[in-house]
Amino acid sequence: MRMYARVPIGAALAGVALAGALLDPAAARPPVSATSSMAPASSVAPASSVAPASSVAPAPTLRPAPVSPAPSATTCTSSREVSIGAGVTARLIFGPSGPEVTFEDGPGHPIPSLGRLDRSHPALPASAGISAEILTPYGPAPRLRTKVEGGAQAPYQVQDFPRPAENCGKAAAR
């Protein structure tokens, strides 16, 4: 085999070994044995204190998942930030009180002139300079529709609100 063919094959084999180790880290570790073939005889512990090594790892015991208490309103609130253009970021918050949106022009710098959107005020007024509206504010999957730049022919951007944890639906219904 020529030298220039060995390098790609070696790299491919190393990549496969690495991928296998990433998928199953336990398979990448060598099995633990009671004695090492490299250790001198004087450093090996007596046979009575060493458990025999088995070639098969014991199966993990399955335990039921712990039952968590009912989530509170603060734990059922999820949020994320999305860029809507022109350096403006929208913080999408979805909690028991419904969807809310605040606008920022940098990390932690709110834009007071744009205010806040929620169920009672789902859209910005036309005088705001940008178009922003919460679609289906009372639905289970609200979305934010925005247009910041581009004029009348520019398409709207639509962003999904983050979903709360699975067990939050029961707490919100109470």
Side-chain angles (χ1 to χ4, degrees), residues 41 66 75 79-80 103 126 157-158:
T75 60
S79 67
R80 74 178 185 137
F103 300 97
Q157 289 183 351
V158 179

Side-chain angles (χ1 to χ4, degrees), residues 25-161:
R29 283 186 245 130
V32 178
S33 63
T35 60
S36 173
S37 61
M38 302 292 278
S42 62
S43 67
V44 176
S48 62
S49 66
V50 177
S54 64
S55 61
V56 178
T61 58
L62 298 177
R63 297 181 185 146
V67 178
S68 61
S72 65
T74 57
T75 60
C76 283
T77 301
S78 57
S79 67
R80 74 178 185 137
E81 291 184 352
V82 294
S83 174
I84 59 173
V88 178
T89 302
R91 181 182 297 263
L92 308 176
I93 304 166
F94 192 55
S97 62
E100 298 176 14
V101 180
T102 57
F103 300 97
E104 300 175 352
D105 64 355
H109 302 287
I111 304 173
S113 61
L114 294 179
R116 188 178 113 185
L117 301 180
D118 55 14
R119 283 184 173 165
S120 59
H121 301 96
L124 287 177
S127 63
I130 67 170
S131 175
E133 175 185 10
I134 298 176
L135 304 174
T136 63
Y138 289 96
R143 302 177 87 190
L144 177 67
R145 181 176 73 170
T146 59
K147 187 188 315 184
V148 176
E149 49 192 7
Q153 279 71 23
Y156 284 95
Q157 289 183 351
V158 179
Q159 305 286 339
D160 293 328
F161 276 80

